[in-house]
Amino acid sequence: MKNARLTVEKGLSLAVTDDRLFGSFIEHLGRAVYNGIYEPGHPTADENGFRKDVISLVRELGIPIVRYPGGNYVSNFFWEDAVGPTDRRKPRRDLAWRTIESNRFGISEFVKWCDRIDAEVMMAVNLGTRGISDALNLLEYCNMDGGTYYSDLRISHGDPSPYGIRTWCLGNEMDGPWQVGHMPAYEYGRLAAETAKAMKYMDDSIELVLCGSSGVDMPTFPEWERISLMEAYEHVDYISLHQYYGNEAEDTEDFLAKTLDLEQFIHTVICTCDYIQAVKRSSKKLYLSFDEWNVWYHTRKSDDEKMASAPWEEHPHLLEDHYFFEDALLVGLMLITFLKHADRIKIACLAQLVNVIAPIMTEDNGPAWRQTIFYPFLHVSRYGRGEALLCPLTSDRHDTSCHSDVSDVDATAVYNEEKKEVAIFAVNRNIKDPVLFSADLARFNKLKIKEHIVMESKDLRAVNSATKERVCPHMTSEHSFDEDIFEATLQPCSWNVIVFEEE
Ligand code: AHR
C-alpha cells in the first residue's frame, strides 16, 4: 500500500493563525444579498429582514470577517446611494454584473448583519471610478465619532456609534481589463499610495490592502505586484491575492494537484514583497490577504450568456455554482496550503458566502442548505485556530497530466493551546489508491483522539441540494493510536480531520 507520514511536534510553531484566515465575502452580486442574507417576508426573517436560517449557518462556519461590497461591484460603487433612509435610496445600474442594484440594503444594514454573526467588516473603497476624496468621506462616515459632515450624517441616519472598521481594501482587481476604471500598475500604485496615506491621516488605526494581481495567470503577474508595491509599500499592510480553480478539463487527478500552482503563486508574491522590502531598506514586512479564493467554473459560461441576453434584472441567479464532492477536496487542499503559510497569510476570504460561488445556498422563500464545500471550511475554521505547526510530510507521489511529483497526501496540523487540542487535516488526492497515513505526535502531553472525521464519496460529482445532502462528513473509529503514532488508511479522494485532546 502507498504511504504517507506526518511529523507533528508541539512547539514547532510556524505562526499563530490570524482569525481572519477564516473570512468570507459578500458582494452585491446575484442573490448574495437579496434573497441570500436579506429577504424581508421570508418565514425566518428578523425585524431587519435578515434570514435567521442563513445567520445560523454562517455562525456555524465561525466567519470572523466579511469583505464587502465587492468585488467588481465596488469599482463603480457610490457609497452615498447605500446609506440613509431606505425609501429615499436610488437604484443604479451595476456595470460589473449588468444588473440593477436597488440599494435597499446598504452599509448600515451590512454592519448590523455582521454584528449578528459576530464578524468584522472588511470594507473596499472604489478606486475605479472614484478616488481619494470619496474614500476619505466613506472612512469618515464609518469610523469618525461625530462633529464633522460625514460622521454627523451617519449619526443623522440613526447610527450614533462609529462602525470601527479596521480592514480596508484599496479597490478591487485593478489589473483586470474587465474592471471599471482598470489602470496600469504604476498609476494604480500611485493612487493607492496617496489614498492609503490620506486614509491613515484620518484614522491611523486602520489596516490597508493593496490590490495584487487578480490571478496567477494574469499576464501582468508579478510585475503588477513589483510596480505597485514600489509606490505603495510603506503605506499599506497587505497585498491581495485572488485565485479560483476549475476542473474544466474533467481531469480530477490534475484538478486536485492545482494547489501546487497555488504554492508557487504564494511563494512568488512573498518573494516580490520581500524584494521590495530589500530595495526600500525597509524594516516593515508585508503580509498577504488572500481575499478571494474558491472553486469557480460551473456557471461561468451560462452566466456570460445570461448577462448578455437578459441584462438589468434585480438580483438574478448568477454564479450559483453547485459544488461537486471533488470541489470540496480542492477547498480542503487550499485551506491546508493557507495554514502552511500562516506566517504570511493573515487574511483569507472564501469567495463568496451565500448563493454566489458559496458554501451556503438559499431558495427564495424556502430553505437554506449546505454545499459540499461547506464542510472542509467548517472543519478548518473550527479546528484550525492556534499555532500552525511546521510538520514535515513524506508521501508517495504521482504525476498528473500537467503536474509532476504530486504528493498523494497533503496534510498539516494546528495546535490550540487554550483548548489543549491538536488537529490534523489531510487529503488523499490519489484518485485510485488508498494510502496508509501515519502521524507521529511528539512532545504533547498524553493525547487521546477526540474526533476522527472523514468525508468521502464514490461519486466525485455528487452534489448537495435543498432536499438531499449527498455529501457530508461522518465520524469513524477506523484508526489506531499507540505510543503517539496515529495510523489510518485514507481512502482515495478523501478529506480527513483528526482531532486529539491533551490530558
Ligand atoms: O467573486 C466574484 C468576482 O471574482 C469578484 O467580483 C471579482 O473580484 C473576481 O473577479
Side-chain angles (χ1 to χ4, degrees), residues 446-461:
K446 191 157 177 44
L447 292 170
K448 65 170 196 272
I449 295 176
K450 186 179 168 197
E451 288 182 30
H452 180 180
I453 306 165
V454 175
M455 203 161 94
E456 55 203 342
S457 166
K458 293 229 167 352
D459 179 2
L460 295 176
R461 302 184 139 228

Side-chain angles (χ1 to χ4, degrees), residues 25 27 29 71-72 97 172-173 178 242 244 292 296 319 351-352 357:
F25 175 29
E27 177 165 5
L29 193 185
N72 296 337
W97 304 105
N172 177 69
E173 294 191 347
W178 59 86
H242 289 182
Y244 297 100
E292 286 188 34
W296 172 20
L319 280 68
Q352 299 190 12
I357 42 174

Side-chain angles (χ1 to χ4, degrees), residues 256 329 408-410 426-431 433-435 490-496:
L256 297 179
L329 294 177
D408 291 323
V409 168
D410 199 8
V427 175
N428 178 4
R429 60 179 148 193
N430 190 304
I431 61 169
D433 300 324
V435 174
L490 308 188
Q491 295 307 320
C493 291
S494 62
W495 165 249
N496 309 269

